Every structure is written in C-alpha cells, then in structure tokens.
Amino acid sequence: MRRFVLVSYDISNPKRLRKMYKLMRGYGEHIQLSVFICQLTEKDKIILTEKIADIIHKREDQVILVNLGSVEGKRESLPAHWKIIGAALTISDNSLMIY
C-alpha cells in the first residue's frame, strides 16, 4: 500500500544539497523549497532512507519524513484532513518512480 510521505530537509553543504534534490526528484513532487511529497510503499521508504543516509552528514544535516496517510482513493483530490493555505497543491499519480 502506498502512503503519502512528506520529506523536508535542511542540508548545510551545497554539494550534498544538490545530491539530495536530485534524489528526491526521483521519488516525489517538489512542492516547496527543500520539501517533497512522495507516494511510497514501505519498501520504497526503506530504500529512500538508505539513500538519504548515504548523502547527508549526520551531524550537520537533517531530514524529516512524515507519514501523511494512505494514497488509495485520494489521487484525484487532497485528503480531507490536509489544510492548504494559499496557492493550490495538486498531487499527480506518482506511481512511476525513477531510482
């Protein structure tokens, strides 16, 4: 089962920041500066977490992954419990990922 996962990161080094951005483009949609929304299975999340750990410096950088609930039946619209203020957020069917 795919779940929405919000990934936010604060990377202190420009080279690692670029690597992280490139990695995340293959897993989700870039919705704000250093913030992506992904549709991941548990296996995808484990693989992504391992790849993130290979990029970041654990004492200088921070990555937060937040589970936002099931994707099932919610691709056409946002889940009712999400509150968006300002510009609209659209979520595409992100079932094809680039690794």
Side-chain angles (χ1 to χ4, degrees):
M1 173 190 315
R2 290 193 180 278
R3 302 186 71 75
F4 286 115
V5 178
L6 184 77
V7 180
S8 174
Y9 53 90
D10 185 8
I11 309 291
S12 60
N13 175 278
K15 185 176 179 180
R16 290 193 308 268
L17 180 63
R18 283 189 300 276
K19 283 184 178 182
M20 184 67 177
Y21 176 77
K22 287 179 183 178
L23 171 67
M24 291 309 305
R25 279 194 341 208
Y27 278 88
E29 294 184 54
H30 187 217
I31 59 172
Q32 290 185 357
L33 190 61
S34 298
V35 179
F36 282 78
I37 192 156
C38 308
Q39 298 176 27
L40 305 175
T41 64
E42 191 58 36
K43 181 179 177 181
D44 295 333
K45 188 175 175 184
I46 291 168
I47 293 168
L48 176 60
T49 301
E50 291 171 355
K51 289 180 179 185
I52 290 170
D54 289 342
I55 292 173
I56 69 167
H57 186 283
K58 291 165 186 65
R59 293 189 180 176
E60 296 178 12
D61 305 329
Q62 182 182 66
V63 181
I64 300 171
L65 288 84
V66 180
N67 182 350
L68 299 176
S70 176
V71 169
E72 311 317 322
K74 296 179 181 146
R75 288 191 175 116
E76 295 80 29
S77 63
L78 297 177
H81 63 277
W82 292 14
K83 177 78 172 163
I84 307 296
I85 300 171
L89 173 63
T90 56
I91 306 291
S92 66
D93 182 355
N94 190 5
S95 57
L96 293 175
M97 287 189 262
I98 304 165
Y99 289 98

